[in-house]
Amino acid sequence: SISNIGMNLSMTLEGIRCLLPYYSFHNVNVYLKDGVSAERFISMLKKNYGDQIKEIINMQDLSDSQLGVYVLIVSIFAVMILLVTALIVSMTLYLIIKALINRRQREFGIQKAIGYTTPQLMLQVSLSFLPVVFVGVCSGSILGSFYINPLVSIVFKGIGIMKAGFTIPVLWIVLLCAGICMLAFFVSMLVCARIRKITAYVLIGE
């Protein structure tokens, strides 16, 4: 149980009476069939046995409220990872493309002299990085899909959740991969704008 930092123990009535023969229980757990409304059942209990019942707890609502905090934490953590990933991709592309443009200035100048336009060169450089980005994003997503649940289980084990099986949303992963690839292409085009300053005339003057 996640209550009391996982320091809870559940036993059957027969098991408890092996330790305490005269034990009498005061709690009753009721499991409803699928389709039965818990709220209506609670209302019926209060109407018929209200004077005999001290408290009624809807465990579904209680677990939803307790897990809602952890879901929020995981969501914030996921957004932070996404932002950090976007920052790393942007900075890496910026440094690599900047160095590539400085190294290939003469080549770009010659290409412009023979008729290539700046947008064509920008598109050429940007598209050359997309296969690498695509392979990296797909590899990371596939590995993450297999190992995210074991890692989350390790994190939540400290608060008593022994098994944490999150659903892997394939559609969202595909959209995320596409978004990162689009971001990489957009950043590449922005950095490649430096090619505008390269002309055959400037290179001859240098």
Side-chain angles (χ1 to χ4, degrees):
S1 170
I2 62 174
S3 303
N4 298 322
I5 318 180
M7 301 299 176
N8 275 7
L9 175 65
S10 297
M11 298 180 65
T12 62
L13 181 59
E14 291 77 8
I16 294 176
R17 283 181 174 167
C18 288
L19 301 175
L20 302 172
Y22 301 104
Y23 172 82
S24 61
F25 62 91
H26 303 282
N27 297 334
V28 177
N29 294 328
V30 179
Y31 298 89
L32 302 178
K33 294 183 178 180
D34 293 338
V36 178
S37 172
E39 287 76 14
R40 293 178 59 185
F41 185 78
I42 290 174
S43 299
M44 183 270 293
L45 287 178
K46 289 181 177 179
K47 180 180 179 180
N48 297 330
Y49 308 99
D51 56 338
Q52 303 177 41
I53 300 175
K54 181 179 180 181
E55 183 182 16
I56 299 177
I57 299 176
N58 187 335
M59 294 305 297
Q60 184 64 51
D61 292 343
L62 180 62
S63 62
D64 288 344
S65 63
Q66 290 177 337
L67 292 177
V69 178
Y70 301 110
V71 171
L72 178 61
I73 293 174
V74 172
S75 300
I76 294 174
F77 186 63
V79 171
M80 291 178 60
I81 292 177
L82 181 60
L83 293 177
V84 171
T85 301
L87 180 62
I88 292 174
V89 170
S90 301
M91 291 300 298
T92 303
L93 286 174
Y94 173 78
L95 295 174
I96 293 176
I97 295 177
K98 181 180 177 182
L100 182 140
I101 292 174
N102 290 334
R103 190 174 65 250
R104 296 176 57 185
Q105 284 192 43
R106 186 176 300 276
E107 179 182 340
F108 289 138
I110 294 173
Q111 287 179 317
K112 280 191 172 185
I114 62 177
Y116 281 92
T117 62
T118 298
Q120 288 176 332
L121 294 176
M122 292 171 58
L123 189 62
Q124 178 184 358
V125 174
S126 299
L127 291 177
S128 67
F129 284 95
L130 274 186
V132 178
V133 174
F134 179 77
V135 171
V137 168
C138 291
S139 301
S141 299
I142 293 172
L143 290 175
S145 299
F146 283 108
Y147 292 105
I148 185 63
N149 278 332
L151 291 175
V152 170
S153 296
I154 294 174
V155 173
F156 282 103
K157 189 175 292 185
I159 58 174
I161 301 178
M162 297 294 106
K163 286 187 178 181
F166 288 91
T167 303
I168 307 298
V170 178
L171 178 60
W172 281 104
I173 292 177
V174 172
L175 293 176
L176 178 61
C177 293
I180 294 177
C181 290
M182 292 176 62
L183 173 67
F185 178 76
F186 179 72
V187 171
S188 300
M189 290 294 287
L190 286 179
V191 180
C192 286
R194 297 165 59 91
I195 297 177
R196 295 181 183 276
K197 301 178 181 179
I198 301 174
T199 62
Y201 177 78
V202 172
L203 292 176
I204 293 173
E206 292 178 351

